[in-house]
Amino acid sequence: MVAFLGMGLLGANFVKAMIKKGASVQVWNRTPAKATALESEGAKAFENVADAVKGADIIHVTLKDDASVNEVLATASTGFKQGAIIIDHTTTSAEGAIQRTKEWKERGFTYLHAPVFMGPQNALESTGYMLVSGDQTVISQLEPELSKLTGKLINFGAEEGKAAGMKLIGNLFLVTFTAGIADTLSLAKALHIPISDISALFDSWNPGAMLPARLKRMSAGTYNNPSWELNMARKDTQLFMDAAAHGGTKLAVIPAIAVEMDRWIKAGHGNEDWTVIGKDAVS
């Protein structure tokens, strides 16, 4: 028997996928209607979270944050089966994941943090990526169960909390990437360039393909053989900001990058490769 706590878009679709694979799933959500909606799919819904976990060997969790995970698990624990396994897919702090692993182990339960890079459709189709780290014996035991839920299970080794950290790093990149797209569209709007032309550009030129080489260059920590000097990158950055201001649009991210560039130029790095702005992060 499996229990699943948290019927948001991700949790609900995980449950649908489990049921399609033949699992019996008991579900709970803080808003009961979201849980009862899954009864038509074959789930059994409960209003009381302690009732939802009764008899469950594995309890999956997809909630909001550390506080909600701690609160819900504390309330649910009165219904835990002896030796039950908690698998938490919530994006949380690394510290929270480490603490929960320790505390639940002391209480006789296994807790594994397994955050995901998935959208609702990935959860429904069992695609996307799931991250784990920590006790390798536990992970080996749960790997068959976890692999049913994802396209790829990525094991980051024995360090507790590392999966949580990797999830935060990935999400930071997604947030930065999306904010960069927003600035790109703002500049296009200022220059009266239609989005269809932007799409055509990126259909032909994929800057995302540069990521591995850019990461390698920045982490190497050598900047004295520039492919784009910081002074020149800063000049172009000013052109972005001037064009946006002239066209009546606002850039959210670029002005902060300009400030960072100015700091490094003032420190004497203007003739070095512009990736020097990441030096403090890798040194």
Side-chain angles (χ1 to χ4, degrees), residues 211-229:
L211 178 59
R214 184 62 49 85
L215 181 61
K216 183 177 180 180
R217 177 162 194 152
M218 293 181 74
S219 60
T222 55
Y223 311 99
N224 57 2
N225 185 25
S227 60
W228 193 18
E229 289 185 358

Side-chain angles (χ1 to χ4, degrees), residues 2 28 60 70 111 132 215 221 236 283:
V2 176
W28 171 89
H60 291 268
N70 291 337
Y111 171 94
V132 291
L215 181 61
D236 286 4
S283 60

Side-chain angles (χ1 to χ4, degrees), residues 226-276:
S227 60
W228 193 18
E229 289 185 358
L230 178 57
N231 283 326
M232 296 303 290
R234 178 62 179 88
K235 179 267 297 181
D236 286 4
T237 301
Q238 192 62 47
L239 289 174
F240 310 155
M241 294 190 293
D242 291 346
H246 183 73
T249 65
K250 182 179 179 181
L251 302 181
V253 177
I254 289 297
I257 295 173
V259 170
E260 187 66 6
M261 287 177 165
D262 288 341
R263 182 172 77 88
W264 284 93
I265 290 170
K266 186 177 180 180
H269 298 276
N271 293 324
E272 297 180 11
D273 192 83
W274 79 289
T275 58
V276 72

Side-chain angles (χ1 to χ4, degrees), residues 4-63:
F4 213 114
L5 312 180
M7 294 296 100
L9 294 175
L10 200 64
N13 278 359
F14 268 134
V15 168
K16 291 175 184 177
M18 288 177 172
I19 291 170
K20 287 180 181 177
K21 292 179 174 68
S24 297
V25 188
Q26 300 178 169
V27 298
W28 171 89
N29 194 74
R30 198 181 300 272
T31 304
K34 290 186 176 181
T36 56
L38 288 164
E39 290 191 322
S40 62
E41 303 286 340
K44 186 174 181 181
F46 293 83
E47 289 193 17
N48 186 301
V49 68
D51 291 336
V53 301
K54 285 180 179 177
D57 298 299
I58 296 177
I59 301 154
H60 291 268
V61 180
T62 53
L63 297 167

